[in-house]
Amino acid sequence: YDYFLKLAKNKKVVGIGECGLEYYHIKDENFWEKQKEVFIKHLELAKEVNKPIIIHCRDAHDDLFEILKANNHKLIANPGVMHFFTGALEQAKKYIDLGFYVSFSGVVTFPPRKGETAGAYDEIIKNIPLEKILIETDCPYVAPVPHRGKRNEPAYVKYVAHKIAELKGVSFGEVAEQTTKNARELFGI
């Protein structure tokens, strides 16, 4: 903890993470318990240095939310972001209620899965405030359409912004301006 605390105190560090819970790739429930313990330590570290936390969560939203709720006293005023959000609308709203931003990547540009009329992210994006949205590449993964299947690049984040603008019925410029403002507020830059 002391080693990471020293690193986190550096003025160039703007957030703690990416950390959280990963149940999709790791099926060992004993390891899940260890992840929870370590994640709580990350929350403590973020609180101690007064920096937001960047949270990874895959197939663990119920457990993650319970940890955040139980450790609400360890969250700072602008607590962090749900990186590459993969949950449902109700989960996004719960995180937003705790003060978190929700971040979307190139996956929002993918066409609907077979049998669906709209992408799973469409409903979420339409129903949460732009003031709580961030955009990201998750480079080198999940390149947006029209580059799907290729190495992702930071320049491709514009496709995510275009898709969010389309879904929210606002201009690309408004999405770019607001999500930039959101990132600056979250990370104090």
Side-chain angles (χ1 to χ4, degrees):
Y1 185 90
D2 292 337
Y3 173 77
F4 290 108
L5 177 61
K6 182 179 177 184
L7 291 174
K9 286 182 176 179
N10 185 307
K11 65 181 179 180
K12 292 181 181 178
V13 174
V14 297
I16 305 302
E18 164 184 348
C19 55
L21 303 179
E22 169 62 64
Y23 291 1
Y24 180 78
H25 290 290
I26 301 168
K27 303 299 183 192
D28 180 348
E29 291 186 23
N30 292 322
F31 194 75
W32 292 356
E33 293 306 313
K34 186 66 175 172
Q35 286 185 71
K36 292 175 190 178
E37 292 171 24
V38 172
F39 179 62
I40 291 168
K41 286 294 192 186
H42 282 117
L43 290 174
E44 292 169 3
L45 178 65
K47 171 82 173 187
E48 188 166 345
V49 295
N50 196 37
K51 293 181 181 175
I53 195 159
I54 299 95
I55 299 177
H56 169 96
C57 183
R58 191 149 181 211
D59 289 357
H61 288 284
D62 291 341
D63 286 351
L64 183 80
F65 185 74
E66 288 306 313
I67 290 170
L68 291 174
K69 200 167 71 171
N71 291 275
N72 197 7
H73 62 286
K74 295 176 183 167
L75 300 178
I76 64 172
N78 216 355
V81 58
M82 299 305 299
H83 153 72
F84 194 148
F85 185 71
T86 60
L89 175 59
E90 290 310 311
Q91 292 163 329
K93 288 179 177 181
K94 285 181 177 182
Y95 294 126
I96 290 169
D97 287 345
L98 287 175
F100 285 86
Y101 289 86
V102 179
S103 185
F104 298 100
S105 69
V107 74
V108 303
T109 67
F110 294 1
R113 292 183 180 176
K114 192 172 184 173
E116 293 179 0
T117 56
Y121 290 101
D122 294 6
E123 178 185 9
I124 300 167
I125 292 167
K126 288 177 183 178
N127 288 287
I128 63 173
L130 186 56
E131 293 76 19
K132 296 305 281 185
I133 293 176
L134 293 179
I135 55 177
E136 62 177 285
T137 60
D138 201 35
C139 183
Y141 308 107
V142 198
V145 171
H147 301 286
R148 186 174 182 184
K150 298 177 184 166
R151 177 178 163 63
N152 206 350
E153 300 293 336
Y156 297 166
V157 77
K158 68 182 179 184
Y159 297 105
V160 177
H162 278 292
K163 182 64 175 183
I164 291 171
E166 172 191 320
L167 291 169
K168 294 197 92 40
V170 299
S171 71
F172 168 82
E174 185 176 342
V175 171
E177 183 179 328
Q178 185 63 55
T179 56
T180 299
K181 179 181 176 188
N182 296 347
R184 286 184 174 144
E185 287 176 1
L186 176 62
F187 296 114
I189 52 175

